[in-house]
Amino acid sequence: MAAKYLTPEQDAQLRRWERWNRNYFIFAFFALIVVLVFSSQLGISSGDEWGSLGVLLAILIVPIIVLQLRLKCPACGAKIGWQAKLLAPDQCRACGTFLQSKKSSS
């Protein structure tokens, strides 16, 4: 059986998700560092209470979860977000399609 690959359009769609995911992850990482290091100076942390710091942390983390939940295999539509880390997985577990176009694989 021949290996299945994405069309160039499907590949572009997947690379767009990877770009958004990577860029947001970098933003959230640096924002998290700033928030945690400077939380007391910014007045958003008051000792043992999470308060507004907890809300801010949730606002930074929730989009990462949403991005993972939205990722679907362009070939079959199966959810593959939890297979992914920062980039899409190499192959869909559901349909076996390699998650790159034939052109980009050579």
Side-chain angles (χ1 to χ4, degrees):
M1 187 161 119
K4 296 183 283 183
Y5 290 89
L6 299 177
T7 66
E9 295 80 23
Q10 292 170 326
D11 187 58
Q13 175 187 1
L14 200 57
R15 300 306 145 228
R16 187 171 44 251
W17 177 89
E18 287 180 337
R19 228 178 2 264
W20 271 96
N21 196 42
R22 182 189 62 238
N23 291 342
Y24 184 77
F25 184 83
I26 291 168
F27 163 77
F29 179 77
F30 285 110
L32 190 58
I33 290 172
V34 168
V35 166
L36 293 176
V37 170
F38 298 108
S39 61
S40 59
Q41 288 91 352
L42 296 172
I44 56 175
S45 175
S46 57
D48 294 332
E49 260 184 59
W50 283 92
S52 57
L53 179 60
V55 171
L56 198 52
L57 292 175
I59 289 171
L60 286 172
I61 300 298
V62 166
I64 293 171
I65 296 168
V66 170
L67 279 168
Q68 295 298 100
L69 290 174
R70 290 189 64 209
L71 180 61
K72 294 179 181 179
C73 172
C76 71
K79 291 189 181 239
I80 57 173
W82 296 120
Q83 276 182 259
K85 305 295 185 262
L86 194 54
L87 301 175
D90 293 331
Q91 191 172 18
C92 175
R93 289 181 187 161
C95 69
T97 299
F98 287 97
L99 298 176
Q100 57 188 358
S101 67
K102 184 79 167 167
K103 183 178 178 184
S104 69
S105 66
S106 10

